[in-house]
Amino acid sequence: MSPRDQGLLLPDHASLVVHGRDQPGIVAVVASVLARHGANIVALDQHSDDPAGGAFFQRTVFHLANYAACHPLLEQELDAALAEDFDLEWRFTDLSVPKRVAIFASKSDHCLLDLIWRQRRGELPMTISMVVSNHPDMAEDVRGFGIPFFLVPTQDKAAAEAEHLRLLQGNVDLVVLARYMQILSSPFLEALGVPVINIHHSFLPAFIGAAPYRKAKERGVKLIGATAHYVTEDLDEGPIIEQDVVRASHRDSAAELARRGADVERQVLSRAVLWHCQDRVILHDRQTIVF
Ligand SMILES: Nc1nc2c(c(=O)[nH]1)N[C@@H](CN(C=O)c1ccc(C(=O)N[C@@H](CCC(=O)O)C(=O)O)cc1)CN2
């Protein structure tokens, strides 16, 4: 079943995300601009953290025949309507177009194969442009799905990131780190210019960095978890998109924790990637609002 069959890619539908300083009139102005263009709002969600001038967030999904052709004029009109009297940022996203995604992996296969499998089943409105890895382990599996696989060793980090940029720039809308065990440099993230989502195999902020399951075993935790977050220069401290947990006990070895944690990692990462591809995630002050 394709993403379109599953209602994840919507012909002639778009989302409009608006966020910034809250004040009266925002909803009315947005709705009137859309209505003037014949757009029919099919879903709307919003949040204010303080109606007296705090932060305002809104996601609207609307149907508009021939949206792609109407989009430029719609943008102009919304800009004219909001720019003078409001302190807001906004973006349109064409919900009929899948996101182009590059997946980075190292040796672990579960998150990588889960994303490939869900994409092939039409559960994720995205295409997989390529897989990039610093190990050859997954090459045969990935190429078996007809997906380009690029082995980029990371002994020379600068050379690796230069190759990553050559492969990625202009070709992807999103990078997903599916248990990719290399730290991305700040200059690389700056040059890349698209969001990066990582799955960290712990319930952040617990156990930042390498080997979280070993650390969890040593700490004797009763819950383990996984966290999907946007990647920033601060290791595992980027804005959290999704998390989940599963119970653990003294009977679980670190290996058993890793085995049980893998299921949580796959669920958390796929939910985060889905919500990002649907333009449901708004960044605000190192946190996210997820509609
Ligand atoms: N700039 C960022 N890069 C990466 C992040 C991030 O949040 N910001 N998340 C990691 C993923 N990760 C845990 O989920 C992780 C991966 C690797 C290590 C680590 O310490 N690895 C090596 C060092 C590798 C290197 O220096 O590049 C090690 O074990 O010593 C910690 C956490 C992905 N990248």
Side-chain angles (χ1 to χ4, degrees), residues 124-188:
L124 295 172
M126 70 184 208
T127 57
I128 300 174
S129 305
M130 67 189 80
V131 170
V132 176
S133 181
N134 56 330
H135 295 282
D137 303 49
M138 297 307 300
E140 189 177 343
D141 284 341
V142 169
R143 288 172 177 149
F145 287 108
I147 299 169
F149 178 94
F150 298 98
L151 175 62
V152 182
T154 49
Q155 287 79 355
D156 180 338
K157 198 169 186 127
E161 292 191 336
E163 177 62 3
H164 291 158
L165 288 174
R166 186 189 68 81
L167 291 167
L168 297 170
Q169 280 182 320
N171 297 321
V172 298
D173 305 304
L174 173 68
V175 174
V176 178
L177 307 184
R179 291 295 303 276
Y180 182 68
M181 302 313 284
Q182 294 298 310
I183 298 170
L184 305 182
S185 71
S186 181
F188 171 79

Side-chain angles (χ1 to χ4, degrees), residues 24-181:
I26 300 172
V27 176
V29 170
V30 169
S32 63
V33 169
L34 292 176
R36 273 205 303 275
H37 277 262
N40 179 28
I41 295 175
V42 297
L44 188 149
D45 200 345
Q46 66 184 69
H47 169 69
S48 299
D49 67 6
D50 175 3
F56 170 86
F57 310 90
Q58 181 192 61
R59 177 179 183 267
T60 305
V61 176
F62 60 90
H63 174 269
L64 175 57
N66 204 11
Y67 164 76
C70 304
H71 169 232
L73 188 55
L74 193 51
E75 281 229 5
Q76 282 176 23
E77 284 223 6
L78 187 68
D79 190 44
L82 293 177
E84 194 164 319
D85 301 324
F86 297 94
D87 180 11
L88 295 169
E89 296 177 51
W90 46 270
R91 66 179 187 253
F92 286 98
T93 299
D94 186 337
L95 295 181
S96 70
V97 178
K99 290 285 191 293
R100 301 168 300 164
V101 178
I103 305 175
F104 278 44
S106 289
K107 290 192 172 184
S108 298
D109 60 359
H110 56 287
C111 288
L112 168 61
L113 293 178
D114 186 73
L115 288 174
I116 292 175
W117 184 75
R118 290 179 189 271
Q119 190 275 339
R120 286 169 63 87
R121 285 177 51 85
E123 296 177 14
L124 295 172
M126 70 184 208
T127 57
I128 300 174
S129 305
M130 67 189 80
V131 170
V132 176
S133 181
N134 56 330
H135 295 282
D137 303 49
M138 297 307 300
E140 189 177 343
D141 284 341
V142 169
R143 288 172 177 149
F145 287 108
I147 299 169
F149 178 94
F150 298 98
L151 175 62
V152 182
T154 49
Q155 287 79 355
D156 180 338
K157 198 169 186 127
E161 292 191 336
E163 177 62 3
H164 291 158
L165 288 174
R166 186 189 68 81
L167 291 167
L168 297 170
Q169 280 182 320
N171 297 321
V172 298
D173 305 304
L174 173 68
V175 174
V176 178
L177 307 184
R179 291 295 303 276
Y180 182 68
M181 302 313 284

Side-chain angles (χ1 to χ4, degrees), residues 157 177 180-185 189 198-201 209-210 229 231-237:
K157 198 169 186 127
L177 307 184
Y180 182 68
M181 302 313 284
Q182 294 298 310
I183 298 170
L184 305 182
S185 71
L189 292 169
N198 177 58
I199 183 69
H200 182 70
H201 37 317
H229 63 91
V231 168
T232 66
E233 61 183 345
D234 302 319
L235 185 62
D236 299 330
E237 304 214 3

